[in-house]
Amino acid sequence: MADIVDTRTDAQTALARACETLGRGVPVAIPTETVYGLAADATDPRAITRIYEMKGRPRFNPLICHMADLAMAERHAVFDPLSRRIAETFWPGPLTLVLPIRPESAIHPLARAGLDTVGIRVPTGIASRLLAAFDRPLAAPSANTSGRISPTTAQHVADDFGAKLELVLDGGPATVGLESTILKVDGETIRLLRPGGLDATEVERVVGRPVLRNEKAGAAIEAPGMLASHYAPDAPVRLDAEEVRPGEALIRFGGKVLPGEAEAALVLDLSPDGNLAEAAANLFGFMKRADATGARSIAFSPIPATGLGEAINDRLQRAAAPRS
């Protein structure tokens, strides 16, 4: 079983152990405000290969590279004026920008899946301190088996990877609970590649122009989270449920009681008050709890598609998609 070290009680010891482990080319699970990440040196092909192997992740699916700050990011990627404005406004935070890679960047092509672009994010909290101490970018997809429910606690990570993982830094439950929003600027156009923990309408408000949704089915993989089937529990997922079938687990929203709840395996409410930020923070943890019941399926009541609801519905649609 992985060794779990609480960063809240002894951050310096946790950071020292993480830097030593990362320096050996071994991935470390780290807390971020979005979800827990499986981090490894983005300049080391051995370390990156271990991420793909541990997760069972397709190697055509690029990894987000995390930076300590904008200055570090600018050493590895080319920022146009619009991307820089967005970065200066929303970093650190739950935002990833897909940018052209600098020719002199040490980020290995394996982390970029061979693309001439790189997805970059600047996280908050202990992850930021680790990046500053390690002084190299960290490739860090979500710390879970590929395609499965993303982890929002250290225990989620340890339960998934077990002895395959050496070290987990425990920073408590993720506060956002959804992966980062991914944007790409093409000229004067801003494209949303993946909705996430930053509401895209906030970006629109700041820059004064629309963020275009990526609506092309089967679009080329430019960023993580674009696979049709993703974030999936073992049980099948049924969306927009208006009733509960016998033996199903129900995850509802807004306190609305559904017919058939008495025969449900479990009933959870993402936010009884209809708060989408609370719902986002609870989503993956509740999915894991529902899946652990062994229910025949997991039913979700309708969730508004506005604000963070856009990202929540994106995750649910991928969780419910046909699986290969």
Side-chain angles (χ1 to χ4, degrees), residues 207-289:
V207 301
R209 66 184 69 202
V211 173
L212 303 183
R213 274 52 179 173
N214 198 38
E215 297 177 349
K216 182 180 177 184
I221 303 298
E222 299 180 78
M226 295 181 70
L227 296 175
S229 178
H230 210 51
Y231 316 108
D234 286 328
V237 171
R238 186 168 68 90
L239 304 182
D240 297 325
E242 298 292 348
E243 81 292 326
V244 190
R245 298 168 184 169
E248 279 189 322
L250 171 66
I251 301 179
R252 66 188 187 190
F253 175 79
K256 181 181 177 182
V257 177
L258 270 59
E261 285 191 10
E263 298 184 69
L266 178 71
V267 178
L268 298 169
D269 198 315
L270 289 169
S271 175
D273 296 329
N275 184 306
L276 288 169
E278 181 184 19
N282 285 331
L283 178 63
F284 290 137
F286 281 15
M287 288 175 71
K288 285 181 176 291
R289 286 175 59 185

Side-chain angles (χ1 to χ4, degrees), residues 8 30-37 94 121 124 126 142-143 150-157 169-180 197 277-285:
R8 297 162 293 181
I30 64 172
T32 79
E33 72 275 33
T34 57
V35 298
Y36 275 67
R121 185 167 95 82
T124 63
I126 195 70
S142 56
S150 297
T152 54
T153 69
Q155 195 60 53
H156 289 163
V157 179
L169 300 188
D170 185 356
T175 55
V176 174
L178 288 175
E179 296 84 356
S180 60
E278 181 184 19
N282 285 331
L283 178 63
F284 290 137

Side-chain angles (χ1 to χ4, degrees), residues 116-186:
D116 58 4
T117 56
V118 60
I120 289 181
R121 185 167 95 82
V122 176
T124 63
I126 195 70
S128 176
R129 294 175 61 184
L130 174 61
L131 283 154
F134 192 61
D135 198 30
R136 273 169 273 171
L138 293 175
S142 56
N144 59 291
T145 303
S146 186
R148 305 304 300 277
I149 304 169
S150 297
T152 54
T153 69
Q155 195 60 53
H156 289 163
V157 179
D159 290 344
D160 193 335
F161 285 120
K164 292 192 295 183
L165 185 60
E166 184 172 320
L167 178 64
V168 180
L169 300 188
D170 185 356
T175 55
V176 174
L178 288 175
E179 296 84 356
S180 60
T181 298
I182 303 181
L183 300 178
K184 183 179 182 182
V185 174
D186 290 320

